[in-house]
Amino acid sequence: MDGFQEILNTSPSSGFKVKSWKSNNTSIAKVSSSGKITAGKKTGKTTITVRSGKIKKKIAVVIK
């Protein structure tokens, strides 16, 4: 992930308490339970979904 960083404030003071992180395509990018994104074995695009109760945020990720 060269040259771009997506920042989602998940600190307790932000009020956004993450319940889960999920990658739509783990062969392109995996995401840990703490939110660390790691490139997979393939290049391409995937979406990381972050959930906190009824709130859902999606982050587009491109691996080159």
Side-chain angles (χ1 to χ4, degrees):
M1 297 190 321
D2 186 33
F4 179 76
Q5 181 178 8
E6 178 76 29
I7 298 174
L8 178 62
N9 186 355
T10 60
S11 68
S13 63
S14 73
F16 191 85
K17 296 177 183 164
V18 174
K19 299 291 184 189
S20 68
W21 299 86
K22 181 182 175 190
S23 172
N24 284 358
N25 191 335
T26 57
S27 64
I28 295 174
K30 297 177 183 180
V31 62
S32 72
S33 60
S34 64
K36 180 179 179 182
I37 299 171
T38 305
K41 296 183 178 190
K42 295 183 177 181
T43 59
K45 298 177 185 178
T46 189
T47 302
I48 303 297
T49 304
V50 185
R51 292 185 183 266
S52 173
K54 294 181 181 182
I55 299 170
K56 179 171 64 172
K57 301 284 184 179
K58 292 186 177 192
I59 303 166
V61 175
V62 178
I63 303 296
K64 295 182 179 180

